[in-house]
Amino acid sequence: MNNAATLPETDATRLDALRARLADDPSGVLEILAHEYGVSMKAVIECLPETCRTLVAGAQAEAALLDIAAWGAVTVLVHTQDVILECKGPLPAGRIAHGFYNIGGGSPVSGHLRLDRCQTIAFVRRPFMGAESYSVNFLNAEGEAMFKVFVGRDEKRVLLADQVERFGALRDRLAAAGAVA
């Protein structure tokens, strides 16, 4: 399937086709699948098998980022139609000021995040390019990705075990808080 025009006409049929595709193979670039199926990134994530995803309320974004700040070097990724931008390094703890969550201070990862726009946080664990992948996806009210944070890898491209453990603990803690998106 190359574009939304070749897909079944109804949303339900399109989502069923996407669920079947992801049940068969949950790998692939989620943003490309969203474009191909004519749905939001959140819809793609919701179509992943349940074992691959946990969604929590975006109101917990600051708590998630403060926790991730203690993980060490991660990969922060922003994916638009025109660019996939990756930055590897520790995610500094930030603070709210002037309407943004501001991060910076000695790390290659810095910037200003509109956390008030984060509606959903999706914890995603799935295969990608032949390897297991763990990401925390921050999604806006339109269901599109604001940015993603991936668990780091060592020099042999093996996931960092302590970060995998921290990922699971953060996911479970935020999901248990009861504010599921």
Side-chain angles (χ1 to χ4, degrees):
M1 295 184 195
N2 291 332
N3 61 48
T6 62
L7 294 170
E9 292 183 25
T10 69
D11 286 344
T13 305
R14 198 176 353 194
L15 290 173
D16 287 345
L18 179 56
R19 269 187 215 91
R21 157 50 175 99
L22 291 168
D24 183 50
D25 177 13
S27 67
V29 179
L30 300 180
E31 289 84 354
I32 291 173
L33 291 170
H35 179 74
E36 287 178 356
Y37 284 82
V39 298
S40 71
M41 175 81 160
K42 182 179 179 186
V44 173
I45 291 170
E46 289 173 332
C47 287
L48 284 167
E50 285 187 32
T51 58
C52 294
R53 56 157 165 91
T54 301
L55 280 66
V56 301
Q60 300 183 83
E62 184 176 9
L65 289 168
L66 289 170
D67 190 286
I68 293 168
W71 292 11
V74 294
T75 299
V76 177
L77 188 138
V78 176
H79 185 153
T80 71
Q81 275 188 292
D82 302 314
V83 67
I84 301 172
L85 186 62
E86 295 181 18
C87 189
K88 295 178 183 176
L91 181 70
R95 65 181 186 88
I96 302 288
H98 308 291
F100 291 90
Y101 180 80
N102 300 288
I103 55 175
S107 172
V109 181
S110 66
H112 314 282
L113 311 173
R114 292 272 316 271
L115 291 190
D116 61 322
R117 296 259 311 133
C118 184
Q119 183 159 359
T120 305
I121 303 167
F123 290 84
V124 176
R125 178 184 160 262
R126 67 190 185 98
F128 182 72
M129 294 189 158
E132 194 68 14
S133 171
Y134 289 73
S135 64
V136 183
N137 300 259
F138 295 81
L139 306 171
N140 64 22
E142 293 78 32
E144 300 306 334
M146 297 170 65
F147 62 97
K148 306 176 197 181
V149 178
F150 285 85
V151 164
R153 296 179 182 276
D154 67 16
E155 61 280 347
K156 294 181 181 177
R157 307 261 325 124
V158 174
L159 289 167
L160 299 174
D162 65 317
Q163 287 190 16
V164 169
E165 187 176 315
R166 288 172 181 255
F167 173 96
L170 177 61
R171 177 199 59 214
D172 295 348
R173 180 171 51 87
L174 295 183
V180 177

